[in-house]
């Protein structure tokens, strides 16, 4: 397959790219600061340019999203708007613009996370965003068939424990290689409307 990989230069994006290319897929990498195509998908106009540059693709894979972390009482309306824009609207836009551009039986795989179902202090914006993405995936799946859409929802990465482990006490981490295999399952499988949880 020809696959468009968003957020390709991050830890997760790198692992997913390696897993997909290792299975013989052609992967077009997209990132703000690196990759085959350098665009910020938070801007709908740049999403359009990504699709125009990439041409016909079989699958779109998202591995990136930005949200602020603060206690609820320190969050501003702009913080919540930023989280919604940085993790929800950007991924929705990939789907909205992508439906007429990808293969008839192509697929979208988005990223959410454990905080949508198991929040931690300071995670209200991330929890909101993850929940919104998952709700969108379930709703979009019944409208875009035979195209498919799923989301990957991992807990903290084993490779990020040194930096973030203290924020997830008692929560089992997951290795990036395992998360990447969930993306492979979504891209190559036949399911739609699924949230693949890893914890």
């Amino acid at each position: 397959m020809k696959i468009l990989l968003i957020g390709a230069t991050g830890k997760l994006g790198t692992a997913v790219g390696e897993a997909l290319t290792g299975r013989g897929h052609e992967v077009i990498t997209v990132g703000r600061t690196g990759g085959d195509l350098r665009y910020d998908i938070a801007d709908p106009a740049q999403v359009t340019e990504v699709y125009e540059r990439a041409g016909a693709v079989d699958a779109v894979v998202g591995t990136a999203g930005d949200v602020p972390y603060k206690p609820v009482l320190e969050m501003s309306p702009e913080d919540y708007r930023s989280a919604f824009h940085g993790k929800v609207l950007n991924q929705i836009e990939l789907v909205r613009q992508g439906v007429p551009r990808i293969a008839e039986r192509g697929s979208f795989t988005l990223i959410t996370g454990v905080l949508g179902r198991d929040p931690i202090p300071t995670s209200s914006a991330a929890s909101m965003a993850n929940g919104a993405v998952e709700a969108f995936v379930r709703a979009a799946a019944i409208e875009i068939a035979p195209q498919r859409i799923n989301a990957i929802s991992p807990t903290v990465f084993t490779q990020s424990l040194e930096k973030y482990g203290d924020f997830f006490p008692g929560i089992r981490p997951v290795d990036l290689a395992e998360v990447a295999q969930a993306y492979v399952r979504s891209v190559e499988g036949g399911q739609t409307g699924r949230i693949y949880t890893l914890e």
Side-chain angles (χ1 to χ4, degrees):
M1 298 183 198
K2 184 177 177 183
I3 300 171
L4 194 60
L5 173 59
I6 311 298
T9 58
K11 282 185 179 179
L12 177 57
T14 299
V16 171
E18 290 173 354
L20 292 171
T21 55
R23 294 182 62 80
H25 299 296
E26 176 189 353
V27 177
I28 302 171
T29 57
V30 182
R32 282 182 292 197
T33 59
D36 301 319
L37 304 176
R38 297 187 183 185
Y39 290 99
D40 183 356
I41 64 159
D43 178 359
Q46 293 190 47
V47 172
T48 302
E49 290 184 39
V50 167
Y51 279 119
E52 289 175 350
R53 290 278 305 278
V57 296
D58 299 294
V60 177
V61 169
T63 64
D66 295 322
V67 294
Y69 287 85
K70 297 179 187 177
V72 169
L73 295 182
E74 295 178 15
M75 292 286 285
S76 68
E78 181 52 39
D79 287 326
Y80 286 111
R81 280 192 291 269
S82 172
F84 196 75
H85 191 263
K87 191 164 188 181
V88 183
L89 288 182
N90 60 347
Q91 295 195 89
I92 289 175
E93 193 65 14
L94 281 172
V95 177
R96 192 187 71 81
Q97 291 197 37
V99 166
R101 290 180 163 95
I102 74 167
E104 181 182 3
R105 294 186 173 275
S107 69
F108 300 91
T109 304
L110 309 183
I111 181 69
T112 66
V114 66
L115 300 177
R117 60 189 181 277
D118 196 0
I120 61 172
T122 74
S123 76
S124 64
S127 298
M128 172 202 72
N130 290 341
V133 171
E134 293 180 10
F136 171 76
V137 164
R138 295 186 183 100
I142 64 176
E143 294 188 37
I144 68 171
Q147 292 173 339
R148 299 182 302 105
I149 181 170
N150 299 301
I152 310 300
S153 180
T155 184
V156 62
F157 304 139
T158 303
Q159 291 83 349
S160 299
L161 280 179
E162 185 175 339
K163 186 173 183 181
Y164 298 111
D166 290 345
F167 295 100
F168 296 88
I171 297 177
R172 187 181 74 84
V174 62
D175 195 86
L176 281 168
E178 187 178 345
V179 182
Q181 288 307 306
Y183 275 90
V184 170
R185 180 182 180 190
S186 177
V187 169
E188 296 185 6
Q191 295 176 316
T192 190
R194 289 289 302 272
I195 312 300
Y196 295 109
T197 60
L198 297 104
E199 56 189 354

